[in-house]
Amino acid sequence: FVTHYRELGFDLASRAYSQYMNTVDSLANLFNFTSVDTHNVFIEGTDDASVLTRNRFFEHLSTLGYALRIHQSSYLDFCRSPGANVVSCDTYTDNSIESITDLDMPRMEKAQFIFNSYLDAAPFLYRIRRFYVRVDKAIDVDLPAWPTGNSRVGALALLPAMDYLESELRELKSGEFHFAHLLLPHSPYVFSADCSVKPKVRSWLATAPFELDNPMGDQNDDASRAERYGAYMAQIRCTNVLLERLFDAIRESGQWQRCIIVVHGDHGSRIVRRRLTEENLPRLTDDDYRDAYSAFFAVKKGESSGRLISRPMPLQALLADAWNLPVALPDSHHVYLDTRNERDYFTTPLRGFEH
């Protein structure tokens, strides 16, 4: 991937990192060029319908005269950013069973997915299932297995949005800025490397198995982590297939040599062995930090040289540099761990990015 993007003319930051595991805080701080140790400081609403209330990056683009065209999920609303010259807003639903309607997969698989969605949507049943798993682990007698299954459609929901974005970029004009928040290669891992949908719902892996997934504790053992990284890498390859479609559309518009293109993530794979929390700090390894915070960042500005930025850099610094913004950021490399206090983060030095 490094060679491919550099051959396309992108400058690539090989040790880019986000300071947050949480998408909302990562993107909110990225677009405000801040580093705040508090949850949801630029956010209003709930986790399922959050609105970004300040966006210094979009404000800057608007002062430069750009017309902003937003392509977003329903997870986080960028279209109502104050002071931004947003001329169009296209929103796709980030998790809906409607996404499986036209899939070429057995009806029983679709039925299983809907049943899993019902189980996860009912808090009482979810708690019973969690208690059942804990009891099974605590006693010597093996209880009958409570089969796990996925209830989220993940990247399937954005496919129609990708088609629309591709058509828009074919007509790209000078003075337009297209921003797209694409939930890729976000879990669950529904795609094979060629972007075909895996036909078995039970193979749509999340970042951690249900029986290990603890919001404040252990997430994966070595076997489950290795299995998930295989699926994750396949979805990354699919991500690049879909991005190539967008690049081809920009070439068709005639703007490829003139435009600025930034491709970036907002957190790592999150396929961690243990949750990145203050409580777990003594047990965290370098792998945990890389799994949680490593982020892709590549930028092409006209005829970029394809240089490699090999020193650790936070996303805020990289985005500011891409647009030549004089943004002052902390000198130290640090990240934020979750705490049992849902309001505040715990600050700790970054690890695992030195080599």
Side-chain angles (χ1 to χ4, degrees):
F1 299 132
V2 171
T3 301
H4 176 66
Y5 273 89
R6 294 179 72 186
E7 287 176 347
L8 289 176
F10 283 85
D11 295 337
L12 189 69
S14 62
R15 295 180 194 167
Y17 67 91
S18 171
Q19 295 181 298
Y20 306 85
M21 250 184 82
N22 176 289
T23 292
V24 168
D25 287 324
S26 179
L27 291 179
N29 281 276
L30 171 62
F31 292 147
N32 285 288
F33 307 104
T34 52
S35 176
V36 181
D37 62 356
T38 305
H39 281 276
N40 296 340
V41 69
F42 298 108
I43 299 296
E44 287 183 356
T46 66
D47 287 342
D48 295 326
S50 299
V51 178
L52 195 59
T53 60
R54 179 75 193 273
N55 193 325
R56 288 176 58 197
F57 180 49
F58 281 12
E59 291 171 15
H60 174 71
L61 294 172
S62 298
T63 62
L64 295 178
Y66 282 101
L68 276 59
R69 299 189 178 277
I70 311 300
H71 312 266
Q72 65 179 12
S73 75
S74 56
Y75 178 68
L76 181 58
D77 187 354
F78 297 89
C79 294
R80 288 184 278 174
S81 298
N85 181 29
V86 177
V87 299
S88 66
C89 180
D90 178 50
T91 304
Y92 63 91
T93 303
D94 69 288
N95 191 49
S96 169
I97 60 173
E98 183 180 358
S99 299
I100 70 170
T101 302
D102 297 325
L103 287 184
D104 184 16
M105 60 188 301
R107 290 183 180 179
M108 284 302 296
E109 290 294 320
K110 292 183 179 181
Q112 180 66 51
F113 178 86
I114 294 171
F115 179 66
N116 292 337
S117 299
Y118 169 71
L119 288 180
D120 280 356
F124 174 73
L125 291 175
Y126 187 88
R127 288 194 295 270
I128 291 293
R129 183 179 178 188
R130 175 74 67 189
F131 178 74
Y132 185 91
V133 169
R134 288 174 180 168
V135 170
D136 188 27
K137 293 170 68 175
I139 64 178
D140 292 334
V141 179
D142 289 333
L143 297 176
W146 186 325
T148 60
N150 204 289
S151 64
R152 300 190 66 81
V153 298
L156 291 174
L158 67 80
L159 292 180
M162 286 289 294
D163 292 339
Y164 178 71
L165 176 57
E166 185 180 0
S167 67
E168 287 281 286
L169 292 179
R170 285 198 189 96
E171 305 299 325
L172 181 65
K173 298 177 179 62
S174 179
E176 290 183 346
F177 179 88
H178 287 260
F179 167 76
H181 183 202
L182 307 174
L183 297 177
L184 271 170
H186 204 286
S187 68
Y189 310 120
V190 298
F191 291 127
S192 300
D194 62 357
C195 289
S196 59
V197 178
K198 297 176 181 177
K200 298 290 185 181
V201 170
R202 61 179 172 272
S203 69
W204 296 1
L205 299 178
T207 54
F210 184 89
E211 60 270 20
L212 289 177
D213 185 6
N214 182 321
M216 300 298 287
D218 291 339
Q219 301 284 290
N220 282 287
D221 56 26
D222 289 347
S224 67
R225 183 172 176 270
E227 181 183 25
R228 277 154 179 77
Y229 257 108
Y232 176 70
M233 292 307 296
Q235 194 134 305
I236 282 182
R237 289 185 173 88
C238 171
T239 301
N240 279 285
V241 169
L242 296 176
L243 288 175
E244 281 293 341
R245 284 174 41 189
L246 302 184
F247 297 159
D248 285 342
I250 295 172
R251 291 185 185 96
E252 289 181 35
S253 75
Q255 301 289 347
W256 178 260
Q257 300 299 335
R258 300 185 62 241
C259 67
I260 299 171
I261 305 173
V262 181
V263 181
H264 66 85
D266 54 88
H267 54 67
S269 69
R270 301 197 289 200
I271 308 174
V272 295
R273 289 187 176 88
R274 54 202 59 82
R275 190 76 176 178
L276 278 288
T277 66
E278 179 185 11
E279 184 178 59
N280 287 334
L281 184 58
R283 301 196 301 141
L284 297 178
T285 67
D286 287 358
D287 279 345
D288 289 321
Y289 282 84
R290 286 189 290 263
D291 292 340
Y293 301 111
S294 60
F296 186 86
F297 192 95
V299 56
K300 190 188 82 68
K301 301 171 69 172
E303 295 286 355
S304 294
S305 60
R307 67 190 174 111
L308 187 65
I309 305 168
S310 58
R311 65 188 183 278
M313 290 188 69
L315 290 177
Q316 299 98 311
L318 289 163
L319 185 63
D321 180 70
W323 290 87
N324 300 317
L325 290 172
V327 175
L329 290 166
D331 294 331
S332 63
H333 293 290
H334 62 271
V335 293
Y336 296 109
L337 308 181
D338 285 330
T339 66
R340 291 197 177 276
N341 173 358
E342 295 183 357
R343 178 65 179 167
D344 300 318
Y345 281 115
F346 178 80
T347 306
T348 190
L350 178 69
R351 285 173 46 189
F353 283 69
E354 296 83 6
H355 303 290

